[in-house]
């Protein structure tokens, strides 16, 4: 699908105003180095035990490092051995969706710091954990596997004392914003940054600062 076709599809799904905003934010990110995200939180005690996954036979569990390393051997999986080992070394937890002994999807949770993109990392403090880097193998997409993983991991994190889930999504990512609203997440504010050459200036809403959520420069990057 060409860029024009994708833009047309975006217009028919989201309307002209949101499509215009999407274009403006893409231009701002590419040429001005400006990225803006909303911060969403949810009390994990409010998480339903009902599984929203529509694919029969799928079970959820905390993934082992061996399962993850086997999974990343597939070229379609957006992970590598270094990422897995580094994340486990930081204390992050991975949750997997399994069917007939094979992993179909994964989701990571962090209780300290975790990478977001090339420019920044995210830091959370208790009682918040951060949900990031989910992936479903292409042939099983559209079955609501990741929402099921998200709710399952909420319950597991609550058992460990992390009573709230936090996450961020770009203000122009309307599909993810809609999914978060459907799953009961509440937007509490915004975070973002302005990148100028190799320097990054971060900003966040007061309400975001009050819960200890912040962006950090990626290792090797400079902020100001």
């Amino acid at each position: 699908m060409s860029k024009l076709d994708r833009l047309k599809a975006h217009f028919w799904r989201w309307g002209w105003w949101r499509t215009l905003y999407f274009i403006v934010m893409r231009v701002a990110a590419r040429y001005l180095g400006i990225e803006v995200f909303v911060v969403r939180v949810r009390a994990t005690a409010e998480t339903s035990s009902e599984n929203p996954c529509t694919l029969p036979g799928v079970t959820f569990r905390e993934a082992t490092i061996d399962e993850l390393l086997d999974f990343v051997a597939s070229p379609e999986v957006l992970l590598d051995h270094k990422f897995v080992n580094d994340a486990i070394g930081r204390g992050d937890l991975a949750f997997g969706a399994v069917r007939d002994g094979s992993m179909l999807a994964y989701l990571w949770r962090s209780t300290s710091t975790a990478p977001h993109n090339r420019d920044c990392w995210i830091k959370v403090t208790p009682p918040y954990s951060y949900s990031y880097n989910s992936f479903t193998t292409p042939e099983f997409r559209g079955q609501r596997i990741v929402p099921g993983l998200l709710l399952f991991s909420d319950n597991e994190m609550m058992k460990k004392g992390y009573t709230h889930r936090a996450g961020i999504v770009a203000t122009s990512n309307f599909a993810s914003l809609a999914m978060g609203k459907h799953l009961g997440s509440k937007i509490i504010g915004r975070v973002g940054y302005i990148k100028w050459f190799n320097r990054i200036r971060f900003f966040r809403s007061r309400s975001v600062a009050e819960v200890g959520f912040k962006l950090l420069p990626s290792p090797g990057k400079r902020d100001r």
Side-chain angles (χ1 to χ4, degrees):
M1 181 182 291
S2 68
K3 290 183 178 180
L4 181 59
D5 289 336
R6 287 196 295 270
L7 195 61
K8 288 179 179 178
H10 194 283
F11 169 79
W12 286 113
R13 182 176 184 184
W14 301 110
W16 70 268
W17 167 245
R18 288 183 175 180
T19 300
L20 177 61
Y21 181 78
F22 173 79
I23 294 171
V24 169
M25 296 309 296
R26 288 289 295 270
V27 170
R30 182 171 183 177
Y31 297 104
L32 302 177
I34 300 173
E35 294 275 10
V36 184
F37 309 93
V38 296
V39 177
R40 303 186 300 195
V41 300
R42 178 179 172 84
T44 52
E46 299 174 359
T47 296
S48 170
S49 59
E50 182 179 351
N51 180 5
C53 177
T54 59
L55 184 66
V58 175
T59 59
F60 303 122
R61 64 170 182 253
E62 188 174 328
T64 67
I65 188 169
D66 289 336
E67 287 177 321
L68 292 165
L69 292 177
D70 286 342
F71 194 44
V72 302
S74 174
E76 66 189 6
V77 178
L78 305 178
L79 277 183
D80 57 34
H81 284 64
K82 183 178 186 306
F83 181 96
V84 172
N85 287 316
D86 287 350
I88 296 296
R90 291 191 303 269
D92 293 359
L93 298 174
F95 296 90
V98 180
R99 186 191 193 202
D100 297 329
S102 298
M103 188 179 294
L104 311 180
Y106 61 75
L107 173 84
W108 288 86
R109 300 291 287 257
S110 172
T111 58
S112 55
T113 59
H116 174 64
N117 58 27
R118 292 182 303 173
D119 297 310
C120 68
W121 284 43
I122 287 174
K123 180 180 179 179
V124 289
T125 57
Y128 290 86
S129 67
Y130 168 55
S131 170
Y132 75 103
N133 200 355
S134 62
F135 175 83
T136 304
T137 50
E139 64 267 34
F140 294 105
R141 290 173 185 170
Q143 305 286 342
R144 297 183 58 79
I145 296 176
V146 168
L149 265 177
L150 191 61
L151 298 182
F152 173 82
S153 64
D154 277 352
N155 287 318
E156 294 301 300
M157 296 306 294
M158 186 169 60
K159 295 175 185 177
K160 301 175 187 296
Y162 294 92
T163 59
H164 290 73
R165 180 220 312 155
I168 70 171
V169 61
T171 56
S172 59
N173 189 342
F174 303 115
S176 290
L177 290 171
M179 185 184 77
K181 183 178 181 180
H182 178 73
L183 292 177
S185 295
K186 180 177 68 173
I187 294 175
I188 63 167
R190 286 171 169 73
V191 294
Y193 60 86
I194 301 173
K195 182 173 63 174
W196 182 252
F197 294 101
N198 200 39
R199 290 185 176 273
I200 303 176
R201 183 179 182 87
F202 296 98
F203 56 88
R204 58 179 173 168
S205 304
R206 179 179 296 178
S207 55
V208 173
E210 288 174 351
V211 302
F213 190 101
K214 68 185 301 185
L215 299 182
L216 302 171
S218 297
K221 296 284 185 179
R222 300 167 63 188
D223 65 338
R224 49 179 306 186

